[in-house]
Structure formats: C-alpha cells, structure tokens
C-alpha cells in the first residue's frame, strides 16, 4: 500500500467486529433457526466457540510470517509459480464474497425500503462510494470505523433494551426437542458465515502496528468475540420475541425485530435507524474485500500502487453481483447449501496448508 499505512490494535479490533457483523446481523437469526428452531441460541454459542478456534489458525499463520500478506506468504512458502497460483486462487474468495454482499444490499433496499427503485441504481451508487473508500485507503477506513463504532454499539443496545419487554421464555422451550443434529446443521452454516470469512484479514495484518504476536492474537480474538456476542444476543432476542417459526421464515428477522419496538405508543417505526447498523457494517465489509483483492493482485503483479485497480474491480463486482443470482430466494438457497464448503476450500484450507508446509520447511 502507498505510504505503508499502520493501524492500531484498537482499530483492528473494530474492523474485525464490523466486518464480521456485515450482513450477518440481518441473516444469522433466520439462518440458525431453519434447522435448530428454538435451539438457535445454542447453535450461536457453539458456532461462536468454533469461530474463535478458526481465528487461531489465522493468527498462527500471521504470527509465523508477520510482515507478509496471505498472497506474499503463499509465494514465500510454495515458491513463485505454485505460490502465485495459490494466491490467485485465494483471491477468488473475497471477490465472490464481495459480489454476494453487494447483491445483499440491492435485495434488502429494494425489498424493504425502495421497492420501485431498480436494483442496478442501488448497487451502482454503493459501488461508487466503495471505490472512493478504497482509494482513501486502510488508515482512513480504520479511522471512520473507530469514529462510528460507539454509535453502532449504542443503536444495538437501544434495540436490545427496548425490545426486551416483549421477550417470552416459552418461545425457547422445549430445549433440545429434536436432539443435537439440527443444531450441528445450523452450526455448519454459521462457521462459514461469518467466521471463515475472517481470513481476509490475513491481507490486512501486515499493516497492523505490532507490539507482540500475543497482542495481535488478543485483538483478533477480541473482535471475533464481540461480534459473536452481538450475534448471539440478536439471535436469542429474535427467538424470544418473534418465535422460532417466524424467525426461520423471515429473510430479515432482526429488521422485523426492530419494527416491534413500541415505547408508550410514541417511540415507533425506528427500524431505519437499526438498518443503519447494517449499512455501515456491510460497507466496511465490502471495502475491506475490495482492498484485499486489489492489494493481492498488486502484490502478485509487483505493482507499486493498488489504487488503479479499484475502478475496474468495482465495476466487475457490480456486474457479477447482478449476474450471480436471478432472485433473492435463489441466492438464499444457494448460499445456504454451498457457502460453508466454498469458504472451507478457499478460506480455511489454503491458510492451513501454508501453515503446515511452512512449519515443515522451517524445521528442515
């Protein structure tokens, strides 16, 4: 990156939290409820623990090669030809992720807010601000995240506090009615979305100010832990307020949850403010995906500046997001069936291979 930007550990924690929330804060309650039903909160806890375990793999690789991104690490460990191939193969993951997330934005806005606005206009507008954010770089994005993070936490707590009078414990009963198998099916989806997506930070970690490997590990796990806690709370609240059946049927259960807020018949219809949490966190997710792709290609091609790549990459992501799925129902079904396997192949297997091969080479 131009100027070798450095971000603090605190900023890194915030970036990890916002990236993980992304589209997950709207989708996760419904995704977990499809199989686990009223036990979705148990699936959220198990997936949270497994997600932290996955992050440990990323931390181990980052601490072994602290000044190398994942693309540079693949060349260093596997050699110039095989390493370039592995790095290019990995970059397909943030590209597909960015296209899916971009489509999520278009679908949400056209379904819930601007029903008569073409999805192309929504996504094109978002693509523009995405490219602008990528051009200003990692340091600027990190400072914006640091500035907005307290507001995100405030809005989240506001939602939880004012919806809590409507909680019904009976909606969570009976516990483990159908055994552990449905919970494990939900966990399988949950670890792919969003925890395996965190491998993208292996492209960012060389630009984090390091005092020690342990501090980096703590920061990465802290960000994952905060996100896991927030997703657990929103999942439990959705189950206890909406009930497991409605939560599983709704595409955006947490958005519907915000519609339930009613304080004295005065404070109502504030779901647009809750959507603000999602819009900002999903923007951070998209811009980090775009930075990872552009930076990775620049490193593979030995370019001095990644910024000339932002415009063509943004346009390609925009076009691919429109072509990837004919409608919202198809997208939900497709990602539900294939995303965890896709993330496992690209986002977990490649870093794990690099870690194992690098360990053997260092011993020899």
């Amino acid at each position: 990156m131009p100027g070798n930007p450095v971000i603090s550990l605190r900023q890194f924690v915030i970036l990890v939290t916002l990236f993980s929330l992304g589209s997950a804060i709207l989708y996760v309650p419904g995704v977990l409820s499809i199989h686990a039903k009223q036990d979705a909160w148990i699936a959220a806890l198990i997936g949270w623990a497994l997600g932290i375990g996955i992050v440990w793999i990323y931390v181990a690789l980052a601490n072994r090669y602290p000044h190398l991104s994942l693309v540079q690490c693949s060349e260093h460990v596997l050699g110039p030809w095989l390493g370039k191939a592995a790095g290019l193969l990995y970059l397909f993951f943030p590209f597909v992720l960015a296209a899916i997330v971009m489509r999520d934005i278009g679908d949400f806005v056209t379904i819930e807010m601007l029903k008569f606005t073409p999805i192309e206009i929504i996504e094109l507008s978002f693509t523009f601000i995405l490219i602008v954010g990528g051009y200003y770089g990692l340091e600027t994005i990190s400072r914006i995240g640091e500035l907005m993070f307290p507001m995100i936490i405030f809005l989240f707590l506001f939602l939880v506090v004012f919806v809590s009078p409507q909680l019904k414990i009976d909606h969570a009963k009976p516990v483990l009615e159908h055994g552990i198998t449905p919970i494990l099916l939900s966990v399988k989806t949950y670890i792919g979305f969003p925890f395996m997506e965190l491998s993208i930070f292996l492209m960012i970690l060389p630009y984090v100010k390091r005092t020690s490997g342990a501090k980096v590990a703590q920061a990465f796990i802290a960000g994952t832990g905060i996100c896991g806690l927030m997703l657990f709370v929103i999942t439990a609240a959705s189950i206890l307020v909406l009930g497991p059946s409605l939560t599983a049927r709704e595409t955006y259960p947490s958005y519907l949850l915000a519609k339930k807020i009613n304080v004295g018949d005065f404070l109502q219809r504030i779901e647009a403010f809750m959507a603000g949490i999602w819009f900002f966190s999903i923007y951070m997710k998209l811009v980090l995906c775009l930075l990872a792709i552009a930076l990775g290609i620049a490193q593979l091609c030995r370019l001095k500046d990644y910024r000339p790549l932002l415009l063509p990459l943004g346009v390609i992501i925009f076009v691919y997001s429109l072509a990837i799925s004919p409608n919202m129902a198809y997208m939900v079904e497709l990602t539900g069936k294939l995303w965890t396997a896709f993330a496992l192949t690209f986002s977990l297997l490649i870093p794990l291979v690099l870690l194992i091969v690098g360990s053997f080479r260092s011993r020899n």
Side-chain angles (χ1 to χ4, degrees), residues 70-311:
L70 181 62
V71 168
Q72 294 171 322
C73 179
S74 63
E75 287 193 62
H76 178 77
V77 173
L78 302 178
W81 295 105
L82 186 59
K84 283 183 181 293
L88 189 60
L89 188 65
Y90 171 77
L91 291 179
F92 184 63
F93 177 75
F95 172 75
V96 173
L97 176 60
I100 291 174
V101 172
M102 180 69 76
R103 183 56 182 264
D104 288 341
I105 293 172
D107 286 331
F108 175 77
V109 174
T110 53
I111 290 173
E112 296 289 347
M113 294 182 173
L114 306 175
K115 298 182 180 181
F116 300 104
T117 303
I119 190 173
E120 294 84 357
I121 300 300
I122 302 299
E123 291 193 18
L124 192 61
S125 303
F126 218 87
T127 300
F128 173 74
I129 61 173
L130 182 65
I131 294 171
V132 172
Y135 184 85
Y136 279 102
L138 183 62
E139 279 189 280
T140 302
I141 293 299
S142 301
R143 289 169 184 169
I144 294 173
E146 194 173 21
L147 180 66
M148 293 297 296
F149 189 67
M151 181 62 68
I152 299 296
I153 297 298
F154 171 77
L155 289 175
F156 180 81
L157 293 176
F158 184 91
L159 168 64
V160 173
V161 169
F162 284 101
V163 85
S164 58
Q166 303 180 47
L167 299 180
K168 298 178 181 178
I169 300 299
D170 290 340
H171 284 161
K173 298 176 182 179
V175 178
L176 296 175
E177 180 183 13
H178 302 289
I180 194 68
T181 302
I183 295 175
L184 295 180
L185 289 174
S186 295
V187 169
K188 182 192 72 171
T189 304
Y190 189 40
I191 60 175
F193 167 70
F195 295 112
M196 285 187 191
E197 298 170 358
L198 292 171
S199 65
I200 287 173
F201 283 95
L202 292 174
M203 300 295 298
I204 305 297
L205 273 168
Y207 305 100
V208 176
K209 185 177 181 180
R210 287 173 172 266
T211 53
S212 67
K215 293 290 186 181
V216 171
Q218 291 172 7
F220 209 155
I221 291 172
T224 308
I226 294 171
C227 167
L229 177 61
M230 293 176 72
L231 292 179
F232 165 73
V233 170
I234 202 70
T235 299
S238 298
I239 295 295
L240 295 176
V241 173
L242 305 177
S245 298
L246 182 56
T247 301
R249 290 197 306 268
E250 279 290 323
T251 305
Y252 310 112
S254 57
Y255 187 71
L256 179 61
L257 190 67
K259 292 182 178 181
K260 294 287 185 179
I261 294 178
N262 184 357
V263 181
D265 293 326
F266 173 73
L267 190 60
Q268 300 175 337
R269 306 294 298 179
I270 61 169
E271 60 271 11
F273 292 100
M274 299 303 112
I277 299 177
W278 185 67
F279 280 126
F280 185 74
S281 62
I282 209 168
Y283 174 77
M284 298 297 286
K285 187 169 189 173
L286 268 173
V287 76
L288 288 173
C289 284
L290 181 63
L291 282 174
I293 301 166
L295 183 61
I297 293 175
Q299 290 171 348
L300 286 173
C301 298
R302 302 293 191 269
L303 302 178
K304 293 183 179 180
D305 193 346
Y306 70 90
R307 287 178 292 189
L309 301 172
L310 293 175
L311 179 59

Side-chain angles (χ1 to χ4, degrees), residues 31-41 43 178 182-184 186 244:
V31 168
L32 293 179
S33 301
I34 291 175
H35 296 292
K37 305 300 180 184
Q38 67 269 20
D39 295 324
W41 63 275
H178 302 289
I183 295 175
L184 295 180
S186 295

